[in-house]
Amino acid sequence: MEEFPRIKRLPPYVLGAVNELKHQARKRGDDVIDLGMGNPDLPTPPHIVEKMNKATINPRNHRYSASRGIYKLRLAICDWYKRRFNVDLNADKEAVVTIGSKEGLSHLILTMVTPGTTVLVPNPTYPIHAYSVIIAGGDLINLPMRSPEEFFEELVEATKRSWPKPKILILSFPHNPTTMVVDSEFFKKVVDFAQENNLIVIHDFAYADLVFDGYEAPSFLQAKGSREVGVELFTLSKSYNMPGWRVGFVVGNENIIGSLARLKSYFDYGIFQPIQIASIIALNGSPKHVKEIVSTYQKRRDQLVNGLNRAGWELEKPKATMFVWAQIPERFRKMGSFEFSKLLLDKAKVAVAPGIGFGEHGDDCVRFALVENEHRINQAVRGIRNLLRS
């Protein structure tokens, strides 16, 4: 059978290759500390689990649900935005529930992108930001993500020299993998630029809550005029330790939300209803559970960064996300991130994500995910320290 055109357009998935090497090492009996995939290890808060269990017993919840999400969940989403960011949203027209943010972004791109559509994407970035465009048949313009200020300059220059003009800009702050953060002024500039250049903005806000040291992440929708030009995605995976539940949502521009809801009505019948009911409890519940989760990540961040600094690998503490983005020590840098990741796995027994897996501009870095407890992180630091001193 010949290979299918969409599959042929997809590059090799580097992060998948590292996962396979990790599995092989564990089969050999190696005690690998997995700081590679950003897969939260903490349990979902018990009150959320309890609500889902109760809702599961009710046979009415075993039927097909609504592809755009049940109304009470969309209302909870809008109430959450009002409390958190003082943004007023219409639950009927400006919010749609998605099967995690990955599905939401993929189908969102599919509604807008056809062959020849040009999309501006940061590089490095979370892989689906770029791959969703490739799958939909669009064309990518990669903008180096060295700093938010330089990124905006690259955005302006790329838009000037491109023809046909780009149609969509994908953003994500706090940023995965680089952990960079922005202030509300940045989004004001983005909205003004989008209005001037007829750009649609998609902002992935997955790490809205995972912030440290007094930093607060602004919502794109707080910027004046934002709903005229774009939408924002959020997921319950990180804030509420619900990665396997697959609950996310998209909010913002009425036309974009309506188009996504219509497309989804052809693809799915929505998330299992008890999960949606439990998600209402998550969004409406006390913020103390989220604060406890954030506190755990902050302790892990401090443990890893302080330990690596003592070992001679100089790093700054990120202000947000569940990751540490680390430039490879100079004497190993020529290896590139994939070979360096293999070296860490082989000699230090630590799995990390190579920066090349997020785009070519990330090849001098690796990403640590803070998904092991402090004892295991200390163990990882010892292994890396021994490698660096060998």
Side-chain angles (χ1 to χ4, degrees), residues 2 26 35 88 161 184 217 235 241 260 266 289 340 351-352:
E2 65 179 78
R26 283 179 167 167
L35 305 178
D88 290 300
R161 64 175 180 260
S184 56
T235 171
N241 279 329
L260 175 59
Y266 286 88
H289 299 284
F340 182 65
V352 299

Side-chain angles (χ1 to χ4, degrees), residues 151-214:
F151 174 81
F152 190 81
E153 291 172 8
E154 293 279 356
L155 167 64
V156 173
E157 287 303 311
T159 305
K160 282 181 182 176
R161 64 175 180 260
S162 300
W163 188 261
K165 289 295 181 186
K167 183 178 179 181
I168 300 166
L169 167 65
I170 298 176
L171 295 174
S172 181
F173 292 103
H175 188 249
N176 176 17
T178 69
T179 74
M180 289 179 191
V181 296
V182 297
D183 57 19
S184 56
E185 288 300 315
F186 178 86
F187 285 134
K188 288 178 184 176
K189 288 200 307 183
V190 167
V191 170
D192 290 343
F193 184 79
Q195 289 174 330
E196 291 167 11
N197 293 275
N198 200 27
L199 267 178
I200 293 170
V201 180
I202 299 171
H203 181 234
D204 185 351
F205 204 23
Y207 299 94
D209 292 313
L210 270 56
V211 292
F212 316 118
D213 305 329

Side-chain angles (χ1 to χ4, degrees), residues 295-367:
S295 176
T296 298
Y297 282 123
Q298 182 163 342
K299 289 173 185 173
R300 293 176 178 184
R301 176 204 67 167
D302 293 345
Q303 199 84 17
L304 180 66
V305 174
N306 291 341
L308 291 179
N309 281 336
R310 287 193 297 269
W313 190 346
E314 294 184 10
L315 302 172
E316 290 186 10
K317 291 179 180 177
K319 290 184 178 180
T321 77
M322 55 185 287
F323 306 111
V324 172
W325 182 243
Q327 188 172 41
I328 299 169
E330 189 172 356
R331 68 190 176 102
F332 298 100
R333 210 168 291 162
K334 287 183 180 178
M335 298 176 69
S337 60
F338 184 66
E339 290 302 319
F340 182 65
S341 297
K342 287 166 65 177
L343 182 69
L344 286 178
L345 185 61
D346 184 40
K347 301 298 183 185
K349 309 306 177 191
V350 178
V352 299
I356 190 67
F358 304 95
E360 63 269 24
H361 291 289
D363 198 26
D364 63 344
C365 296
V366 293
R367 191 196 71 179

Side-chain angles (χ1 to χ4, degrees), residues 15 19 22 34-41 126 176 207 210 237-238 241 243 246 297 322-323 352-353 358 367-371:
L15 303 183
N19 274 336
K22 177 191 69 182
D34 189 1
L35 305 178
M37 184 179 177
N39 189 4
D41 63 311
Y126 183 50
N176 176 17
Y207 299 94
L210 270 56
S237 295
K238 311 303 189 299
N241 279 329
R246 309 312 303 132
Y297 282 123
M322 55 185 287
F323 306 111
V352 299
F358 304 95
R367 191 196 71 179
F368 293 88
L370 303 170
V371 292

Side-chain angles (χ1 to χ4, degrees), residues 13-230:
Y13 196 54
V14 176
L15 303 183
V18 174
N19 274 336
E20 181 56 33
L21 292 171
K22 177 191 69 182
H23 293 318
Q24 289 174 11
R26 283 179 167 167
K27 281 182 181 178
R28 293 194 300 268
D30 291 346
D31 179 20
V32 176
I33 301 157
D34 189 1
L35 305 178
M37 184 179 177
N39 189 4
D41 63 311
L42 300 169
T44 304
H47 70 290
I48 300 172
V49 177
E50 183 182 352
K51 186 64 178 181
M52 192 200 71
N53 287 340
K54 286 182 178 178
T56 302
I57 294 168
N58 188 338
R60 287 184 303 176
N61 292 324
H62 300 173
R63 306 181 72 187
Y64 289 131
S65 187
S67 64
R68 67 179 302 153
I70 60 176
Y71 176 74
K72 285 187 177 179
L73 177 52
R74 285 183 278 122
L75 193 62
I77 290 164
C78 297
D79 290 344
W80 183 82
Y81 257 88
K82 179 64 178 176
R83 291 193 308 273
R84 287 291 312 279
F85 306 110
N86 198 29
V87 171
D88 290 300
L89 292 164
N90 184 308
D92 284 318
K93 298 179 179 179
E94 296 177 317
V96 60
V97 179
T98 59
I99 307 171
S101 60
K102 225 178 179 185
E103 178 270 322
L105 180 69
S106 300
H107 282 151
L108 190 59
I109 291 296
L110 201 59
T111 65
M112 296 185 275
V113 171
T114 56
T117 303
T118 303
V119 182
L120 298 153
V121 181
N123 188 317
T125 196
Y126 183 50
I128 197 61
H129 294 164
Y131 292 168
S132 63
V133 177
I134 293 169
I135 292 167
D139 297 323
L140 283 174
I141 295 180
N142 288 298
L143 304 176
M145 179 60 82
R146 290 182 285 264
S147 72
E149 296 75 22
E150 288 185 60
F151 174 81
F152 190 81
E153 291 172 8
E154 293 279 356
L155 167 64
V156 173
E157 287 303 311
T159 305
K160 282 181 182 176
R161 64 175 180 260
S162 300
W163 188 261
K165 289 295 181 186
K167 183 178 179 181
I168 300 166
L169 167 65
I170 298 176
L171 295 174
S172 181
F173 292 103
H175 188 249
N176 176 17
T178 69
T179 74
M180 289 179 191
V181 296
V182 297
D183 57 19
S184 56
E185 288 300 315
F186 178 86
F187 285 134
K188 288 178 184 176
K189 288 200 307 183
V190 167
V191 170
D192 290 343
F193 184 79
Q195 289 174 330
E196 291 167 11
N197 293 275
N198 200 27
L199 267 178
I200 293 170
V201 180
I202 299 171
H203 181 234
D204 185 351
F205 204 23
Y207 299 94
D209 292 313
L210 270 56
V211 292
F212 316 118
D213 305 329
Y215 172 72
E216 293 185 10
S219 164
F220 166 73
L221 295 182
Q222 288 175 295
K224 185 180 179 182
S226 57
R227 271 182 285 180
E228 297 171 18
V229 297

